[in-house]
């Protein structure tokens, strides 16, 4: 059963006032660079098997910080750029200010019934959800059972993956909020995914390091009745 750290990219100049979407050349700003360094330092406590990233610049830069921190610790995780976890294609909404988009009739649909939303000239949210869930489950099937890996992506992408792991309908995914450079953690097993953390921005992640091979023993994939002992209890 592998464990994925879902990392949202750091802040950019467009984050907040504008829907950046797939706009090319959107880089981390000074705040985002600091956020990426901080999350990379936290994740450096865990030996990663792989880093999978969206091809957009802000994710490449965030994931590169994570990669550099792993290298500084003497590790060389696999590096993959995966088009399947790219940002949603917002079509005509791309690079538009949110204050304008909030006046559009589709805005209310996106907020209340995402499963019915298709962005003008762009992607259906159901299609976006399907492709990113397929991607993360594909990587889970490729990696070793005790692998810990990073998927560096975007807010809506992470919300869709977490909603799926929680068994939520896509119409509920707007209840989830992944902050810039937050870490959400899902452990996949043969029976079900376990959501360990959502939107974590400061906790110690060292407990997620995989056990040394000589210390391994079979773990039950059943849910712990009454609660477990911490990060490694599932």
């Amino acid at each position: 059963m592998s464990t994925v750290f879902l990392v949202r990219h750091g802040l950019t100049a467009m984050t907040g006032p504008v829907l950046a979407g797939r706009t090319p050349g959107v880089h981390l700003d000074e705040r985002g660079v600091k956020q990426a360094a901080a999350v990379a330092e936290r994740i450096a406590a865990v030996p990663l098997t792989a880093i999978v990233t969206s091809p957009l610049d802000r994710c490449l830069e965030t994931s590169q910080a994570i990669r550099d921190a792993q290298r500084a610790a003497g590790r060389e995780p696999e590096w993959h750029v995966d088009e399947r976890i790219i940002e949603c294609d917002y079509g005509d909404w791309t690079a538009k200010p949110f204050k304008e988009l909030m006046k559009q009739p589709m805005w209310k649909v996106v907020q209340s019934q995402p499963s019915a939303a298709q962005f003008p000239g762009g992607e259906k949210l159901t299609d976006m959800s399907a492709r990113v869930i397929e991607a993360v489950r594909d990587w889970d099937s490729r990696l070793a059972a005790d692998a810990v890996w990073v998927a560096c992506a975007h807010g809506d992408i992470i919300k869709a993956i977490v909603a799926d792991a929680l068994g939520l309908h896509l119409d509920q995914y707007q209840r989830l909020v992944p902050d810039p450079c937050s870490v959400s953690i899902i452990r996949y097993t043969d029976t079900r995914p376990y959501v360990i953390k959502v939107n974590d921005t400061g906790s110690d992640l060292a407990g997620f390091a995989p056990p040394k091979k000589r210390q391994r023993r079979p773990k039950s994939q059943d849910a712990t009745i009454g609660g477990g002992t911490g990060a490694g209890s599932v």
Side-chain angles (χ1 to χ4, degrees):
M1 51 186 179
S2 77
T3 301
V4 59
F5 287 14
L6 301 169
V7 179
R8 187 183 170 199
H9 62 80
L11 286 166
T12 75
M14 296 180 79
T15 309
V18 176
L19 183 60
R22 297 182 182 181
T23 304
V26 178
H27 298 278
L28 299 180
D29 62 14
E30 184 177 349
R31 302 166 301 165
V33 170
K34 291 179 180 178
Q35 289 175 327
V39 75
E41 183 178 355
R42 287 206 295 142
I43 295 174
V46 181
L48 297 177
T49 300
I51 300 170
V52 181
T53 180
S54 159
L56 295 181
D57 290 321
R58 55 197 187 271
C59 285
L60 291 172
E61 291 162 1
T62 302
S63 57
Q64 185 63 53
I66 297 170
R67 189 185 195 186
D68 290 344
Q70 291 286 311
R71 285 174 165 173
R75 312 181 196 115
E76 190 62 60
E78 297 176 18
W79 171 266
H80 303 278
V81 178
D82 192 335
E83 293 279 349
R84 294 175 297 176
I85 61 170
I86 195 171
E87 179 64 288
C88 183
D89 182 358
Y90 297 114
D92 298 343
W93 284 26
T94 302
K96 297 289 181 61
F98 280 107
K99 63 182 180 181
E100 291 183 15
L101 297 176
M102 292 173 70
K103 300 174 184 178
Q104 300 295 321
M106 181 56 67
W107 180 266
K108 291 183 178 179
V109 180
V110 172
Q111 295 300 312
S112 62
Q113 194 181 1
S115 64
Q118 177 168 8
F119 295 98
E123 192 173 21
K124 293 180 180 179
L125 279 174
T126 50
D127 290 343
M128 178 274 288
S129 177
R131 67 172 166 82
V132 301
I133 291 166
E134 191 277 333
V136 76
R137 289 179 178 269
D138 177 44
W139 281 109
D140 171 67
S141 70
R142 294 191 204 184
L143 299 172
D146 284 329
V148 180
W149 59 287
V150 160
C152 185
H154 309 268
D156 278 347
I157 303 304
I158 292 170
K159 286 158 63 174
I161 295 168
V162 174
D164 170 71
L166 288 169
L168 295 178
H169 192 280
L170 186 63
D171 288 346
Q172 307 300 318
Y173 100 134
Q174 298 291 24
R175 300 183 182 197
L176 301 167
V177 181
D179 290 334
C181 277
S182 63
V183 180
S184 297
I185 301 176
I186 301 171
R187 181 165 295 154
Y188 287 91
T189 75
D190 294 336
T191 55
R192 65 177 70 84
Y194 290 90
V195 178
I196 312 297
K197 288 182 181 290
V198 176
N199 197 33
D200 183 276
T201 57
S203 72
D204 183 359
L205 301 175
F208 290 92
K212 295 181 180 179
K213 297 299 182 182
R214 65 177 178 272
Q215 296 176 340
R216 285 186 60 187
R217 61 181 183 180
K219 281 188 176 182
S220 169
Q221 295 185 4
D222 292 338
T224 304
I225 307 300
T229 58
S233 64
V234 174

